[in-house]
């Protein structure tokens, strides 16, 4: 509230006398006097009682001024764009105009692989002084593009090769996220094209919420003749660019298969990471405890089948790749559920070591621990060991537990020929005079 008031005061000071007068008369106040008196009067109105309608009127006047100032500074550019709002692609002579904005790079989307650019990013230039705007783009598909769409079409008419419309900001430098302007609507050859736009409230002039997805034009696109796309939007003074691409659409299952094919981090690399972690952790030099990793996906809350994390993640804990991809297919956020840092598709890696452990470890095991000697063991409900009777003379029955310790080198080779007998070392932990003592029973063969 306080910041909103401050913001409003700054905006009021930048308004013209005529604008201040119209504000005051709309609020039923005296509009005579010098500019400083008018500013004073509007500011008092803001201070004494918060009028939402006054605030939005100030915002609107300010936005209009702000936009006009920007437009004037780049007048020559805007004028040349206005003459060529309709861009005709695949007609080299016409499309070589200044309207193409090669500096706009739309962000790479994992679920949409760009095959070809049909209309390179062009600015959505306001042509009317009113807020609602309409811009047109036209394009023709090449016979090759038409064939690509047809070849990928199923009987139900769904195609994995699509013609999509994407919109993003023109203004900032670098790669841009998709963002629709307020009140977006798209007509393709006169047909209403569905746009998935969600608004946080029904306040006017609001941009649809993230994430904005590419708009599928395919069902309305003509294969041979020219296509005309009308984009209706509301001008709030922001600069948008629009482009049309031929894309291959992937499902989360497709991406999962890609990851399994190309994104598996080798057992050796993973072990190295574990060893580095254990060395870096000074606590491990004094205690026998290692690094604990849960086998339960923090997202799905079930046992992982494809444990993965981003290359950029510092932690060992993984999450389930299939579930993570499905989640991002519904709502792309690409954020690591463990460290909450970006975990983009291109940086995802399947943990080869943990994959093997998941295959070896009993279904009941919920958590494992990496030990400083390069092995791992299951952690969980400390079960009383049936063998404790043999060793009852050495320990109190209640405090002794048995844990399975598995040599990591054994595990990786065993997981390859799956289900083979695995060497396990039965270890009995007991407490003698509050000291942890380890008794090894030697190698016992356990049939999995
Ligand atoms: Zn044409
Ligand atoms: Zn992370």
């Amino acid at each position: 509230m306080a910041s909103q008031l401050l913001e409003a005061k700054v905006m009021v000071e930048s308004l013209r006398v005529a604008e201040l007068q119209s504000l005051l008369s709309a609020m039923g106040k005296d509009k005579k006097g010098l500019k400083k008196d008018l500013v004073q009067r509007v500011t008092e109105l803001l201070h004494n009682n918060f009028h939402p309608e006054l605030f939005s009127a100030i915002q609107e006047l300010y936005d209009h001024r702000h936009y006009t100032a920007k437009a004037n500074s780049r007048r020559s550019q805007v004028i040349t764009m206005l003459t060529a709002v309709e861009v005709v692609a695949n007609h080299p002579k016409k499309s070589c105009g200044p309207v193409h904005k090669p500096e706009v790079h739309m962000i790479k989307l994992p679920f949409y692989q760009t095959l070809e650019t049909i209309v390179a990013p062009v600015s959505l230039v306001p042509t009317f002084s009113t807020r609602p705007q309409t811009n047109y783009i036209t394009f023709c598909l090449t016979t090759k593009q038409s064939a690509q769409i047809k070849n990928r079409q199923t009987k139900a008419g769904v195609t994995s090769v699509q013609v999509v419309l994407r919109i993003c900001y023109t203004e900032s430098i670098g790669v841009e996220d998709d963002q629709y302007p307020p009140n977006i609507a798209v007509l393709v050859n006169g047909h209403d094209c569905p746009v998935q736009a969600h608004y946080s409230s029904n306040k006017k002039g609001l941009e649809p919420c993230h994430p904005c997805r590419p708009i599928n034009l395919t069902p309305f696109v003509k294969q041979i003749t020219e296509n005309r796309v009308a984009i209706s939007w509301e001008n709030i003074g922001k600069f948008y660019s629009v482009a049309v691409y031929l894309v291959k659409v992937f499902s989360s299952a497709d991406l999962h298969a890609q990851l399994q094919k190309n994104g598996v981090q080798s057992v050796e690399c993973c072990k190295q990471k574990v060893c580095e972690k254990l060395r870096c952790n000074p606590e491990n030099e004094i205690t026998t405890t290692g690094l604990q990793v849960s086998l339960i996906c923090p997202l799905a809350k079930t046992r992982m089948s494809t444990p993965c994390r981003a290359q950029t993640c510092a932690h060992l804990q993984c999450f389930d790749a299939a579930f993570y991809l499905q989640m991002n297919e519904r709502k792309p956020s690409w954020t690591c559920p463990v460290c909450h840092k970006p975990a983009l598709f291109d940086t995802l890696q399947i943990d080869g070591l943990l994959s093997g452990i998941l295959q070896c470890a009993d279904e009941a095991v919920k958590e494992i621990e990496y030990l400083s000697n390069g092995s791992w063991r299951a952690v969980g409900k400390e079960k009383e060991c049936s063998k404790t009777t043999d060793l009852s003379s050495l320990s109190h029955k209640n405090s002794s537990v048995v844990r399975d310790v598995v040599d990591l080198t054994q595990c990786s080779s065993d997981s390859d020929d799956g289900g083979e007998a695995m060497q396990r070392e039965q270890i009995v932990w007991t407490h003698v005079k509050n000291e942890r003592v380890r008794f090894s029973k030697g190698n016992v063969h356990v049939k999995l």
Side-chain angles (χ1 to χ4, degrees):
M1 185 70 171
S3 66
Q4 210 176 5
L5 192 63
L6 192 72
E7 209 183 312
K9 279 164 83 175
V10 171
M11 288 191 280
V12 166
E13 274 163 25
S14 75
L15 296 179
R16 290 195 185 99
V17 172
E19 290 163 341
L20 291 164
Q21 284 173 336
S22 72
L23 275 178
L24 286 164
S25 62
M27 296 301 290
K29 299 284 167 189
D30 181 15
K31 55 174 189 171
K32 290 187 199 79
L34 296 169
K35 186 183 173 178
K36 66 173 173 62
D37 302 321
L38 304 181
V39 169
Q40 172 92 32
R41 229 167 283 153
V42 175
T43 311
E44 269 168 20
L45 272 174
L46 282 168
H47 260 287
N48 297 343
N49 207 338
F50 189 77
H51 307 279
E53 71 277 16
L54 178 61
F55 184 82
S56 58
I58 292 167
Q59 178 85 59
E60 199 159 330
L61 286 167
Y62 179 81
D63 281 350
H64 188 253
R65 280 286 303 274
H66 185 66
Y67 175 68
T68 314
K70 261 188 187 166
N72 285 342
S73 71
R74 39 160 89 196
R75 175 166 279 165
S76 61
Q77 200 187 346
V78 171
I79 288 167
T80 49
M81 280 178 191
L82 279 172
T83 57
V85 168
E86 290 203 20
V87 181
V88 182
N90 299 328
H91 292 258
K93 271 180 195 164
K94 285 187 193 171
S95 59
C96 283
V99 282
H100 286 285
K101 305 272 289 176
E103 69 269 30
V104 176
H105 296 286
M106 299 215 178
I107 202 162
K108 200 179 151 198
L109 299 172
F111 291 104
Y112 299 86
Q113 184 202 342
T114 304
L115 301 174
E116 273 177 69
T117 302
I118 297 171
V119 179
V122 288
S123 299
L124 274 182
V125 182
T127 43
F128 310 112
S129 57
T130 54
R131 275 186 153 203
Q133 304 288 332
T134 305
N135 290 88
Y136 299 93
I137 47 174
T138 53
F139 63 89
C140 281
L141 294 180
T142 63
T143 42
K144 192 188 153 214
Q145 288 165 347
S146 296
Q148 276 176 289
I149 296 166
K150 256 197 186 134
N151 293 344
R152 286 287 177 165
Q153 206 148 21
T154 63
K155 272 187 180 167
V158 186
T159 175
S160 63
V161 172
Q162 298 180 351
V163 178
V164 296
L165 183 83
R166 293 182 65 183
I167 306 174
C168 72
Y169 291 134
T170 308
E171 290 276 286
S172 52
I173 309 140
V175 181
E176 269 305 314
D177 247 334
D178 292 47
Q179 178 63 61
Y180 306 148
N183 255 329
I184 173 92
V186 176
L187 280 178
V188 184
N189 300 318
H191 297 276
D192 207 348
C193 181
V195 179
Q196 281 184 44
H198 305 283
Y199 296 88
S200 59
S201 81
N202 49 15
K203 213 180 111 188
K204 270 195 83 185
L206 218 63
E207 288 176 316
C209 312
H210 261 89
C212 292
R213 292 162 191 281
I215 301 159
N216 182 14
L217 309 179
T218 328
F220 316 101
V221 161
K222 290 183 281 187
Q223 311 279 322
I224 302 154
T225 53
E226 194 161 75
N227 292 286
R228 185 175 163 92
V229 180
I231 304 149
S232 307
W233 55 291
E234 209 178 301
N235 181 20
I236 51 162
K238 288 187 180 175
F239 293 89
Y240 300 94
S241 283
V242 57
V244 179
Y245 299 100
L246 187 74
V247 297
K248 186 169 183 338
V249 182
F250 291 111
S251 67
S252 57
D254 295 330
L255 295 190
H256 188 247
Q258 276 180 35
L259 193 62
Q260 279 182 312
K261 197 174 162 224
N262 310 314
V264 182
Q265 196 176 20
S266 73
V267 173
E268 278 313 308
C269 282
C270 296
K271 270 185 199 168
Q272 211 177 322
K273 188 167 173 154
V274 171
C275 291
E276 277 164 22
K277 275 266 163 193
L278 283 162
R279 268 202 303 274
C280 288
N281 192 349
E283 276 176 46
N284 289 300
E285 284 164 22
I286 25 171
T287 66
T288 52
T289 47
L291 284 166
Q292 295 195 350
V293 168
S294 174
L295 302 185
I296 306 299
C297 171
L299 288 169
K301 313 286 180 207
T302 55
R303 192 184 168 100
M304 291 184 275
S305 51
T306 326
C308 83
R309 66 179 163 257
Q311 281 163 20
T312 45
C313 288
H315 48 85
L316 290 172
Q317 181 61 52
C318 290
F319 46 89
D320 189 67
F323 193 85
Y324 182 72
L325 292 170
Q326 280 167 25
M327 216 182 68
N328 280 287
E329 189 175 33
R330 283 195 297 272
K331 191 174 193 264
S333 67
W334 302 106
T335 306
C336 172
V338 180
C339 64
H340 307 288
K341 286 180 184 156
L344 304 176
F345 177 70
D346 286 343
T347 69
L348 292 184
Q349 276 185 327
I350 294 172
D351 186 321
L353 175 62
L354 201 60
S355 296
I357 292 171
L358 277 156
Q359 283 171 37
C360 295
D362 191 89
E363 278 296 319
V365 176
K366 302 258 189 295
E367 202 170 13
I368 60 124
E369 187 173 30
Y370 290 118
L371 302 172
S372 43
N373 63 2
S375 60
W376 66 272
R377 69 161 175 233
V379 182
K381 280 260 167 80
E382 297 194 343
K383 277 182 273 175
E384 255 184 50
C385 181
S386 54
K387 309 236 175 186
T388 46
T389 42
D390 303 334
L391 305 156
S392 55
S393 59
L394 284 168
S395 64
H396 299 287
K397 200 180 173 188
N398 287 341
S399 63
S400 67
V401 289
V402 167
R403 305 205 199 194
D404 297 338
V405 172
V406 182
D407 192 296
L408 292 176
T409 51
Q410 289 293 329
C411 181
S412 57
S413 57
D414 280 337
S415 62
D416 292 334
D417 38 51
E420 273 292 302
M422 187 176 61
Q423 282 199 329
R424 287 195 190 192
E425 196 186 0
Q426 296 272 9
I427 287 172
V428 177
W429 292 93
T430 185
H431 295 264
V432 181
K433 289 177 192 167
N434 289 332
E435 266 183 328
R436 260 190 157 177
V437 182
R438 203 170 110 158
F439 297 94
S440 179
K441 270 202 75 195
N443 292 331
V444 177
H445 289 271
V446 179
K447 193 88 183 168
L448 279 179

